[in-house]
Amino acid sequence: MNTDPLDRRIPYPVSPPRYSVSHHMVTTAFEIPNYRIIQNLGVVRGIVVRSRNIFATIGASLQTIVGGNITVWTNLCEQTRADAFDIMLQHATEIGANAVVGARYDTTELSTGVTEVLAYGTAVMVEPTNPGESYRS
């Protein structure tokens, strides 16, 4: 039995996780401070399509009566975004990146209760501007 927590979260296998792109090497900016982009490897993406289950919908309907944050749907959205992000990192790893710049999210409602979440960015190879530093912490 595989006990890797990433394997349990990813909705479909992309590749064996190698983790060459760490979370702190992903940015919405187009450059990473103290690093120089040495190669642009292209667009990478992670796509997850999720639907709400009937129990979550009932629970959310009850929460709308009292108002406030609908935690059932908040958790569903957060988990879906995290899954799409992790798939994007695996895709970047597959093509040899060590960072992702210009990271973004996009969502589309495919049908009632079914939503696609897309995480995308540009996979790059970076090196520290100071040669004595490493891109891994």
Side-chain angles (χ1 to χ4, degrees), residues 3-136:
T3 59
D4 185 354
L6 185 60
D7 285 344
R8 285 179 278 166
R9 287 193 346 227
I10 300 298
Y12 60 89
V14 177
S15 67
R18 288 172 286 187
Y19 309 109
S20 70
V21 180
S22 63
H23 286 222
H24 76 278
M25 295 301 287
V26 178
T27 181
T28 57
F30 295 106
E31 58 184 20
I32 300 175
N34 302 319
Y35 293 89
R36 166 178 54 248
I37 295 174
I38 58 172
Q39 187 174 2
N40 179 333
L41 300 172
V43 174
V44 289
R45 79 282 176 255
I47 300 170
V48 176
V49 177
R50 287 269 162 80
S51 66
R52 300 181 305 231
N53 70 47
I54 188 68
F55 301 109
T57 301
I58 292 169
S61 297
L62 294 174
Q63 278 188 310
T64 60
I65 294 170
V66 294
N69 184 22
I70 302 174
T71 55
V72 172
W73 285 344
T74 300
N75 292 336
L76 177 66
C77 290
E78 186 57 41
Q79 185 59 55
T80 304
R81 286 185 188 105
D83 289 346
F85 184 85
D86 286 340
I87 294 167
M88 178 186 68
L89 292 187
Q90 283 189 12
H91 185 201
T93 297
E94 285 178 349
I95 62 175
N98 63 1
V100 175
V101 297
R104 303 283 189 271
Y105 289 100
D106 190 21
T107 62
T108 304
E109 188 171 1
L110 301 174
S111 69
T112 304
V114 179
T115 303
E116 169 211 31
V117 174
L118 168 67
Y120 64 97
T122 302
V124 295
M125 290 290 297
V126 297
E127 66 182 12
T129 52
N130 180 350
E133 296 178 9
S134 170
Y135 68 88
R136 299 195 189 268

